[in-house]
Amino acid sequence: MIEYVDQVLSGRVLACQKIKWACERFKRDLSRSKDDSFPFYYDEDKAAQAVKFIELMPKTDGSQLTMQPFQKWIISELYGWREKLPVTAVMIVRLLVWPGRTVKPIWLLAWPLMAF
């Protein structure tokens, strides 16, 4: 998932300005997470676990589901950030997704509800 962020920031993946800002914020938060005063950390294993779980679900026609890199990144943002306190909570509580006209948003938003 971090590779997608690197590709967006390097310009190899085309993205709008808001996505670039989100990627910059991710990198900034990732570096800040090493500081004890920042209350969250990024758990790449938890993020990968959520993506793997979602990819286990078949499409409605029964075929194999393969998520696009931007979809994996959205899910990893939801499930990768954790609170450093003994009670582990997620960092992102609300998510607002404005997909393009050709992206089917319903399944993208239904998966996180089933994942955990």
Side-chain angles (χ1 to χ4, degrees):
M1 281 49 85
I2 296 175
E3 299 87 31
Y4 174 76
V5 172
D6 292 335
Q7 290 173 352
V8 167
L9 293 177
S10 70
R12 287 184 301 208
V13 172
L14 293 178
C16 69
Q17 188 61 47
K18 290 184 180 183
I19 298 298
K20 291 176 184 176
W21 288 338
C23 290
E24 289 170 2
R25 183 179 60 239
F26 173 81
K27 286 291 217 178
R28 187 174 56 247
D29 288 346
L30 196 59
S31 65
R32 288 175 52 201
S33 69
K34 294 172 179 62
D35 186 11
D36 290 338
S37 64
F38 192 70
F40 301 100
Y41 69 98
Y42 184 73
D43 189 341
E44 196 164 0
D45 291 335
K46 290 283 187 187
Q49 182 182 11
V51 169
K52 273 184 168 178
F53 176 78
I54 291 170
E55 286 188 326
L56 287 175
M57 296 181 209
K59 292 182 182 178
T60 55
D61 63 0
S63 62
Q64 175 68 34
L65 174 68
T66 304
M67 295 172 67
Q68 297 297 314
F70 79 93
Q71 296 166 331
K72 292 179 181 181
W73 180 63
I74 290 172
I75 298 301
S76 72
E77 284 283 293
L78 283 173
Y79 291 103
W81 286 106
R82 301 288 171 155
E83 199 168 4
K84 287 182 181 176
L85 297 176
V87 178
T88 304
V90 293
M91 179 175 155
I92 301 171
V93 178
R94 287 182 269 168
L95 172 70
L96 181 61
V97 178
W98 291 95
R101 291 183 299 134
T102 60
V103 177
K104 306 288 190 262
I106 301 302
W107 51 262
L108 179 62
L109 299 177
W111 289 338
L113 298 175
M114 293 184 280
F116 297 91

